[in-house]
Amino acid sequence: MNNRLESRKMRGWLSAALLLSAGMLAPAWAQAQNMIRSVTASQQANGDVVRVELSQPLVGAPSGFAIQAPPRVAIDLPQVGNGLGTSSVELNQGNVRSVSVASTGERTRLVLNLKQSASYQTKVQGTVLTITLDAVSSNPVGAGTSQSVHFANSQNVDQLAIQDIDFRRGPDGAGRVIVGLASTQVGVDLRQQGQNLVVDFLKSTLPESLRRKLDVSDFGSPVQSVTTTQVGDRVHMVVHPTGAWEHSAYQTDTQFVLEVRPVRMDPNKVVQGPGYQGEKLSLNFQNIEVRALLQVIADFTNFNVVTSDTVTGNVTLRLKDVPWDQALDIILQAKGLGMRKSGNVLWIAPKDELAAKEQGDLEAKKKISDLEPVRTQSFQLNYTKAEEVAKSLIGDTASTGSSGNATRILTQRGSVLYETRTNQLFVSDIPSKLEEVSMMIAKIDVPVRQVLIEARIVEADDKFGRALGVKLGATDLRGVRGGTPGYSVGGSNYVTVGGNYNQVGYQTGQQTTSTDYSNTQFVNLPANTSAISTASAATFALSLFSSSANRFLNLELSALESEGKGKIVSSPRVITTDQTKAEVEQGVEIPYQQATSSGATSVSFKKASLRLEVTPQITPEGNVILALEVNNDSRGSDTTAGPAINTKRVKTQVLVENGGTVVIGGIFTQQDRDDVDKVPLLGDIPVLGYLFKDRVRYTTRTELLVFITPKIVTDRSATR
């Protein structure tokens, strides 16, 4: 019994010691770990600012990502704990609804729940983390506007290669584009352009194996294809979806996921409005006052609602699972009311009252502008001509090129003076107009991007020819030797033969006599080499002699085989600014005689030159549209009227990626010819017929190719 009591006491003392040590270590552990102390939000001119106060400075720069549907921004804080005592903080400031805090063993994630998607920037100052959300447009997303979501600033110094690009189908029919990144510091920009989604991975490279177009139409998702290319120092991805769809994107560590989901039509909705993005609610009221109903919606949305005294009447409605902004729009339309929004304050009044108020405000502004004093401000222009900007401000149609009256930017009291020597503008107008002019000049007075266009014109020819010919003749010496002259074949050649001749015809004495003998060629068809070469054909001669009959048979064969290959490469190149025509030319001008109206002749010149004329246009995606005209003329054969001009010309318009090469045209010519000259009948005899004919066979191939390579040499980053 005593042993049991002692063991119980021992266990009690041990438990107390453990609890005491845990209590002493817990504050020390909490003090050692970095904790979140507070999360606040405020509104500024450039957007909303969320301020996160920590107990210690962050170990490293926080990483994060943003998604569009629902609009959220997530920030990961490594080695940070949640010291707020709650997992959610209601803010309701500007575009920020609330902040959710989720902690794990190694990090804490802050999720900013937004009203509309927006890009963000983070900044660390000591123990304070500042998250700045860019100001969003008043138009709702989906009402014809396009927003760009900036996931993170690219903090990698060197370009990193994309690891993998994959596509999968989700259980709800969604298409998921999964991109493996080399680092968590790769910046990603996502935006919608028309019906496509465009994703840019900043400071990244794309391996050759991933530069392809993925056809994913068989997966049964809204995504039809995914095209990935390298554009400058970034990887450019274009996703082509079809039908009604919505998208969201998120990044987890080194994996970026873009999900495109089909829009499911809800039969319980009164109107399928794609422009309504509010949270859904259900309303069922009988004969309720409009002012009370507006108060219900205000309590649901946390908006400040100001209702005019002229808003009266009752309404009966039943709405189920309807976005609150759509429900508010239905109520306003039913009672003929209008709404004006200023920040997080809604002013609701009859439409006539709002129109009268706005008309009064505009008339007051007009009177103020008519009476407001005018002041003068100077603007120094760097890249744009001051004369062109001055004509645009006063609506000069000569500079704008419009057929009607151009819009005047300045007021009727405003004036502008430009100075060409220093390229300055002096504008006199009211202060508000001067501010507009300053903003306009800041947007148009920027360096224009330039394009280097390099053309390679390749002319290749391949020639092969073969010529065969024969000479066949006979000689009768019986008359020369003192015998009876024989019959001559063909014409006679007259020669002088000196001395006496022995039996074989060699001279044996010194006495000379003049005698004619026949040395004819009744077949004279040597190899015709003029068509294939300027060289002479090789010959082989053979004489057959009959001593008893004193006759000779002469045979001479001639043959030539010619082969030639050549290539001419011309490489004109020119650099010009965006949408500006450029021309480069090299060649000669050939003079020729031309008759005038008075009957006299004058000298005119015809160009035979290599010429490149191009007008580039840089697209928003970073590609280049080229309007091209390439000429490669040369001097031809001489005629009675002057030399001919051999013309080769290509004129086209083509779309090329930056740094890519395209073949814009080609001409391939092949000429095969086989000429035979022969003696009738005798030339058709098998085998022996070759002694009575000559033959020329040649082949000529000519190929012309034009390669074009554009390169953007000045790339200005887009203004966000």
Side-chain angles (χ1 to χ4, degrees):
M1 189 66 157
N2 294 331
N3 293 334
R4 292 180 181 178
L5 182 60
E6 290 179 358
S7 61
R8 288 180 182 178
K9 290 182 179 180
M10 184 64 68
R11 286 196 298 269
W13 282 106
L14 182 60
S15 299
L18 291 176
L19 291 175
L20 180 61
S21 60
M24 295 177 63
L25 291 176
W29 175 82
Q31 185 177 3
Q33 187 184 22
N34 194 3
M35 307 293 289
I36 299 177
R37 291 182 175 179
S38 65
V39 178
T40 58
S42 62
Q43 288 184 276
Q44 296 183 1
N46 58 345
D48 301 307
V49 177
V50 178
R51 180 184 174 91
V52 181
E53 294 187 4
L54 306 170
S55 60
Q56 301 175 14
L58 291 175
V59 177
S63 60
F65 59 89
I67 59 177
Q68 284 188 313
R72 291 175 181 173
V73 172
I75 304 295
D76 289 335
L77 304 179
Q79 305 300 328
V80 176
N82 183 9
L84 299 176
T86 179
S87 61
S88 179
V89 179
E90 296 292 334
L91 297 177
N92 293 322
Q93 287 288 334
N95 191 29
V96 184
R97 295 180 182 272
S98 61
V99 177
S100 301
V101 184
S103 296
T104 59
E106 298 180 354
R107 63 179 178 177
T108 297
R109 172 169 291 182
L110 299 178
V111 180
L112 280 63
N113 302 308
L114 310 179
K115 299 175 182 178
Q116 297 183 25
S117 59
S119 58
Y120 72 94
Q121 296 178 353
T122 59
K123 184 177 181 181
V124 178
Q125 294 179 340
T127 60
V128 177
L129 170 64
T130 303
I131 306 171
T132 304
L133 303 174
D134 294 344
V136 297
S137 174
S138 59
N139 296 328
V141 178
T145 61
S146 177
Q147 279 194 329
S148 175
V149 176
H150 183 65
F151 276 70
N153 293 324
S154 184
Q155 299 180 4
N156 52 307
V157 179
D158 300 327
Q159 290 184 257
L160 302 178
I162 298 296
Q163 301 298 315
D164 187 26
I165 298 176
D166 194 9
F167 182 86
R168 299 177 185 175
R169 185 182 186 275
D172 56 348
R176 303 179 66 201
V177 181
I178 304 174
V179 181
L181 305 178
S183 171
T184 58
Q185 306 299 327
V186 176
V188 182
D189 284 346
L190 170 64
R191 62 185 182 277
Q192 181 177 347
Q193 288 185 351
Q195 294 297 323
N196 300 329
L197 290 173
V198 178
V199 186
D200 285 333
F201 300 92
L202 310 180
K203 292 185 179 180
S204 302
T205 60
L206 187 65
E208 291 292 340
S209 59
L210 299 180
R211 298 186 183 185
R212 62 184 185 269
K213 178 179 180 180
L214 299 178
D215 186 358
V216 295
S217 57
D218 296 339
F219 283 80
S221 70
V223 181
Q224 299 299 306
S225 63
V226 180
T227 305
T228 311
T229 56
Q230 181 77 44
V231 178
D233 62 346
R234 62 179 59 189
V235 175
H236 186 73
M237 175 182 289
V238 180
V239 181
H240 305 272
T242 59
W245 52 271
E246 58 184 5
H247 71 281
S248 61
Y250 59 90
Q251 179 178 342
T252 304
D253 293 333
T254 60
Q255 188 178 75
F256 173 81
V257 179
L258 173 61
E259 185 173 308
V260 182
R261 301 177 299 276
V263 176
R264 304 297 183 184
M265 296 299 179
D266 191 349
N268 295 325
K269 287 188 177 181
V270 178
V271 180
Q272 300 291 348
Y276 300 113
Q277 302 291 330
E279 295 184 7
K280 298 177 182 180
L281 55 77
S282 298
L283 300 174
N284 189 358
F285 294 102
Q286 295 289 335
N287 199 24
I288 185 176
E289 292 185 359
V290 176
R291 301 174 67 89
L293 183 58
L294 294 176
Q295 184 62 38
V296 172
I297 296 178
D299 294 338
F300 179 80
T301 61
N302 292 324
F303 268 94
N304 300 317
V305 177
V306 178
T307 306
S308 175
D309 295 337
T310 55
V311 176
T312 57
N314 299 338
V315 66
T316 299
L317 76 164
R318 182 180 184 275
L319 300 176
K320 181 180 180 182
D321 195 17
V322 177
W324 70 264
D325 47 357
Q326 183 181 2
L328 179 60
D329 189 22
I330 294 173
I331 297 170
L332 297 180
Q333 291 181 10
K335 304 303 293 184
L337 302 176
M339 179 185 64
R340 296 295 181 269
K341 181 181 177 182
S342 177
N344 62 344
V345 178
L346 301 180
W347 177 35
I348 299 176
K351 293 181 179 180
D352 296 339
E353 182 178 341
L354 292 176
K357 178 67 170 57
E358 291 179 354
Q359 182 179 359
D361 293 342
L362 294 176
E363 291 177 353
K365 289 181 180 179
K366 186 176 183 304
K367 291 180 180 179
I368 292 174
S369 63
D370 293 339
L371 300 176
E372 191 174 2
V374 176
R375 64 185 182 91
T376 303
Q377 184 175 348
S378 63
F379 299 93
Q380 176 67 57
L381 302 182
N382 298 320
Y383 306 99
T384 309
K385 292 184 179 180
E387 181 179 358
E388 296 179 358
V389 178
K391 292 180 179 180
S392 301
L393 293 177
I394 60 177
D396 191 350
T397 57
S399 64
T400 58
S402 59
S403 57
N405 295 329
T407 303
R408 181 183 176 92
I409 299 178
L410 300 180
T411 63
Q412 296 300 325
R413 300 168 57 197
S415 61
V416 60
L417 176 66
Y418 62 89
E419 209 282 323
T420 56
R421 184 175 59 87
T422 59
N423 201 32
Q424 290 190 70
L425 277 179
F426 299 91
V427 183
S428 298
D429 212 327
I430 60 177
S432 59
K433 279 296 177 183
L434 291 178
E435 185 177 356
E436 293 181 12
V437 172
S438 177
M439 295 176 59
M440 184 191 74
I441 291 178
K443 291 184 178 181
I444 65 176
D445 188 31
V446 294
V448 182
R449 290 181 290 180
Q450 301 179 88
V451 182
L452 172 65
I453 301 98
E454 180 179 359
R456 295 179 64 86
I457 305 172
V458 181
E459 298 177 83
D461 57 8
D462 186 359
K463 298 179 180 180
F464 177 81
R466 178 181 295 169
L468 297 174
V470 65
K471 288 183 181 181
L472 184 62
T475 302
D476 191 348
L477 300 178
R478 286 180 296 173
V480 179
R481 307 295 173 79
T484 303
Y487 297 97
S488 62
V489 183
S492 298
N493 296 325
Y494 295 91
V495 297
T496 300
V497 182
N500 297 322
Y501 293 86
N502 58 11
Q503 185 179 5
V504 295
Y506 290 100
Q507 184 177 356
T508 59
Q510 300 298 324
Q511 184 180 0
T512 60
T513 58
S514 240
T515 311
D516 59 73
Y517 70 96
S518 299
N519 186 14
T520 63
Q521 295 176 349
F522 54 84
V523 177
N524 187 11
L525 296 174
N528 185 8
T529 62
S530 60
I532 61 175
S533 177
T534 59
S536 300
T539 60
F540 175 77
L542 178 66
S543 295
L544 300 178
F545 171 67
S546 175
S547 59
S548 59
N550 290 320
R551 295 184 180 92
F552 285 92
L553 180 63
N554 301 319
L555 177 63
E556 180 179 330
L557 301 177
S558 58
L560 178 68
E561 183 173 295
S562 176
E563 182 177 0
K565 295 182 180 180
K567 182 171 67 174
I568 302 176
V569 179
S570 305
S571 182
R573 63 181 66 185
V574 65
I575 186 171
T576 182
T577 57
D578 186 19
Q579 302 185 21
T580 302
K581 182 188 293 185
E583 180 180 348
V584 60
E585 184 176 12
Q586 179 186 10
V588 297
E589 291 189 355
I590 302 173
Y592 64 93
Q593 298 289 336
Q594 184 178 16
T596 61
S597 58
S598 62
T601 59
S602 63
V603 179
S604 299
F605 292 89
K606 177 68 175 179
K607 288 185 177 181
S609 60
L610 171 65
R611 178 172 171 268
L612 170 64
E613 180 180 315
V614 59
T615 303
Q617 177 184 348
I618 303 175
T619 64
E621 293 83 3
N623 299 327
V624 183
I625 299 175
L626 299 175
L628 286 162
E629 183 173 356
V630 182
N631 292 76
N632 190 13
D633 301 337
S634 60
R635 182 187 181 115
S637 59
D638 294 331
T639 64
T640 56
I645 304 297
N646 298 328
T647 302
K648 300 180 182 68
R649 179 170 176 263
V650 177
K651 184 178 181 181
T652 184
Q653 184 171 343
V654 65
L655 173 65
V656 192
E657 66 178 0
N658 179 27
T661 301
V662 63
V663 182
I664 65 171
I667 300 175
F668 179 79
T669 304
Q670 179 172 345
Q671 181 181 4
D672 296 326
R673 191 172 182 85
D674 193 353
D675 296 336
V676 178
D677 297 328
K678 62 183 178 179
V679 178
L681 299 180
L682 297 179
D684 297 330
I685 300 175
V687 182
L688 294 179
Y690 286 100
L691 299 177
F692 300 95
K693 63 183 176 181
D694 74 272
R695 186 170 187 175
V696 180
R697 176 182 297 174
Y698 61 90
T699 300
T700 303
R701 298 183 181 91
T702 304
E703 188 172 7
L704 173 67
L705 295 175
V706 181
F707 300 85
I708 296 294
T709 302
K711 297 179 182 178
I712 301 176
V713 297
T714 301
D715 192 6
R716 178 174 55 88
S717 59
T719 303
R720 298 191 181 277

